[in-house]
């Protein structure tokens, strides 16, 4: 579980930025070398020039250690930005497959 609040001040005072958000991630190691994860989060961001964004993210995945030096991950992520002004908003569906190798 996480929560945050941040404030940034720039030399151009019309660009000051404030952000805050919440998130949760649950991981379950259901086998000695395999774990699943499920998470969601929300962030609000406001810029001094009137722009505001609400970000929503959800993720689900599976990770496995194949050998001591090789791991693999597969996940799906949904990401949405509800922006003001509205033409700045977007939605993203991402399917991710990754292999990590240590040398």
């Amino acid at each position: 579980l996480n929560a945050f609040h941040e404030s940034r001040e720039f030399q151009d005072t019309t660009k000051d930025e404030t952000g805050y958000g919440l998130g949760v991630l649950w991981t379950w190691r259901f086998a000695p070398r395999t774990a699943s994860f499920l998470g969601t989060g929300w962030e609000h961001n406001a810029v001094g020039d009137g722009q505001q964004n609400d970000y929503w993210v959800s993720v689900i995945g599976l990770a496995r250690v194949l050998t001591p030096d090789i791991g693999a991950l597969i996940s799906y992520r949904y990401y949405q930005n509800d922006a003001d002004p509205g033409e700045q908003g977007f939605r993203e569906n991402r399917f991710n497959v990754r292999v990590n190798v240590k040398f």
Side-chain angles (χ1 to χ4, degrees):
L1 179 64
N2 70 36
F4 71 92
H5 180 273
E6 62 185 13
S7 180
R8 296 184 182 130
E9 295 180 8
F10 299 93
Q11 290 179 351
D12 178 356
T13 58
T14 63
K15 296 292 184 181
D16 290 351
E17 184 178 342
T18 301
Y20 49 88
L22 300 168
V24 63
L25 179 67
W26 177 71
T27 303
W28 178 39
R29 185 174 301 271
F30 59 89
R33 298 185 303 164
T34 307
S36 63
F37 54 92
L38 177 66
T40 190
W42 165 77
E43 178 181 343
H44 177 80
N45 182 280
V47 182
D49 61 4
Q51 181 179 345
Q52 295 190 34
N53 296 290
D54 282 297
Y55 301 99
W56 302 89
V57 64
S58 298
V59 64
I60 186 168
L62 190 65
R64 176 142 174 104
V65 176
L66 303 172
T67 72
D69 294 328
I70 301 173
L73 176 136
I74 186 169
S75 67
Y76 167 76
R77 181 177 87 166
Y78 176 77
Y79 189 69
Q80 179 176 328
N81 175 14
D82 295 329
D84 182 21
E87 67 271 1
Q88 303 271 333
F90 64 88
R91 292 183 181 158
E92 174 184 287
N93 289 291
R94 179 181 292 189
F95 182 69
N96 187 27
V97 176
R98 183 174 27 181
V99 176
N100 297 322
V101 180
K102 294 181 197 174
F103 295 96

